[in-house]
Amino acid sequence: MKIESLLEDLYGDDPARAEAAAEEIVARGEELVPGLLAGAAGGSGSARLKPYQRALGLIGPAAFDGLVAAWRREEVSGWLANRLLTAFDERCADRYAELAASPKYGVAGEGFSGLLRLRTDSEAGLRALVACYAHGRAVPYKADDYARALHDAFRPRLRALRRDPGVPPRVRRGAMAALVVGGGADALDDRDRATVERLIRVKIPHETPALPSNVLSGWWMAVPAASYEGLFDALDLHDRRPVTCAAGNAASEGRQIRVPGKADGDRARSVGRVFVTPELDGWRLIFGDYDLLVGDDWDDITDTVERLSTHCGQAQFFFLDDAGGSDVWMVAENGTVIRRFVAEGDPEGEGAPLPWETLAVDAPDYDPEYDDAPPHAGTLGARSACAHLSVDPNEIGPETRVRGHGWLAVTAPGVGHGAFPGRLPL
């Protein structure tokens, strides 16, 4: 019977013919693979591929091997291989692991995608996972998700690798990375946690500070370094610990996690991480999750900045969104906003202009007879104002005066840092 007829019966309305077609496909197996691949490559559209996926999946390992071989010979496109590789079941788990171990980023990603879909506790999959973190190359697609999905099963073996003296150092490093990606710092034992903390202390004095980019958008707050300790109470931050700028930046840009409520019946809470920089030219800057730290509306923003200034003497807030056209900065002292500049279309100001501001009415070409300029419309946006008010994050570098170290804190008590999955650069 021709392949087309088999596929018609396989996806037809007659259960008996479909069962017979499936049996014939399995019986003929490897013989049908070249024709199935050629047929799948002869058209376009995901819906049209379903009969071919079903037939290849029924054949199993022989079809998997034929597909991969055709992909490597470029007889099958990467797009088609991606679609057809979703067809196979647990019989091909080790074959997916072989793909995951490939040094080629795209091939390895297909392997980890298959392992994740199957959720198979595969020793070969564990080895591929460790290897992908040990090599120091870009982490393949879905590798992190696979580490998280299989973490409970893999954790004992990964910890054993960490303590095995016969394992090469790079493999032990890969095992540590897999542990942290899968389960956060809580997945490490006491010895490894102490090692990480010691490494952070060693790196802190020698790093050149750098801060999160605000090229298209960004936000941050600033407080005087001499009184920065008050920010932890003002913002209700918890479990602070020393951190490098590299790790702090990555953590502050990471996603929230959801944790159970404090008591039975309580709703789950969103928790994020907050990076407080070392002292930079006399100031400490604060980066983190906007929604959790600041809020959604002007009242929330104002309350946060004023509360922060009550604890620290002064507080500054900066917000940029080039795509949305927002440009905001705010200064509060001892619990009261003294100056606010908002540009969302037409600039608006609140409070007396500060001494360094260049106002529209002071511009050389301003003509009071013809020009209508709001008296408090500052001409400098947040990217320029920050340099006058405190420090410009984009200018932080080797020439910046640095004192102390940064802190990483979380926005809720009783959660700790270990619940956040993923690696942080040190």
Side-chain angles (χ1 to χ4, degrees), residues 11-234:
Y11 260 69
D13 297 328
D14 187 333
R17 292 173 69 90
E19 183 177 353
E23 290 176 354
E24 183 171 350
I25 288 170
V26 171
R28 295 173 63 183
E30 189 172 355
E31 169 198 338
L32 296 178
V33 172
L36 289 169
L37 295 178
S44 61
S46 297
R48 194 193 64 81
L49 291 178
K50 288 183 178 179
Y52 296 96
Q53 290 171 311
R54 171 64 174 156
L56 291 167
L58 287 169
I59 296 170
F64 190 105
D65 294 342
L67 169 59
V68 171
W71 182 24
R72 287 172 175 159
R73 293 193 301 267
E74 299 185 354
E75 296 169 1
V76 167
S77 68
W79 179 89
L80 183 58
N82 173 269
R83 299 305 188 274
L84 297 180
L85 280 168
T86 63
F88 302 98
D89 58 23
E90 288 79 3
R91 293 173 294 166
C92 296
D94 283 348
R95 286 171 165 80
Y96 281 121
E98 290 177 12
L99 293 184
S102 171
K104 295 183 178 180
Y105 179 86
V107 175
E110 296 293 350
F112 281 115
S113 295
L115 289 171
L116 177 64
R117 178 173 54 81
L118 295 177
R119 302 293 177 103
T120 301
D121 180 358
S122 164
E123 191 65 30
L126 182 148
R127 291 196 300 270
L129 190 66
V130 170
C132 88
Y133 294 124
H135 289 315
R137 296 188 289 263
V139 176
Y141 179 65
K142 293 297 183 181
D144 288 353
D145 292 337
Y146 181 58
R148 286 189 282 269
L150 274 293
H151 175 71
D152 288 343
F154 285 166
R155 183 172 56 216
R157 283 170 280 174
L158 291 170
R159 283 185 169 182
L161 280 176
R162 288 289 302 156
R163 302 280 82 89
D164 187 345
V167 170
R170 65 178 181 83
V171 174
R172 293 201 295 272
R173 289 194 298 270
M176 175 184 274
L179 281 166
V180 174
V181 170
D186 282 350
L188 301 177
D189 60 21
D190 292 342
R191 181 174 167 183
D192 276 342
R193 280 195 290 270
T195 298
V196 172
E197 291 170 3
R198 186 164 56 249
L199 182 59
I200 289 172
R201 289 195 297 270
V202 168
K203 283 182 171 287
I204 282 173
H206 305 291
E207 73 169 341
T208 298
L211 302 180
S213 171
N214 55 44
V215 170
L216 294 177
S217 64
W219 82 275
W220 68 97
M221 293 186 286
V223 297
S227 54
Y228 87 97
E229 288 281 353
L231 72 87
F232 296 99
D233 287 335

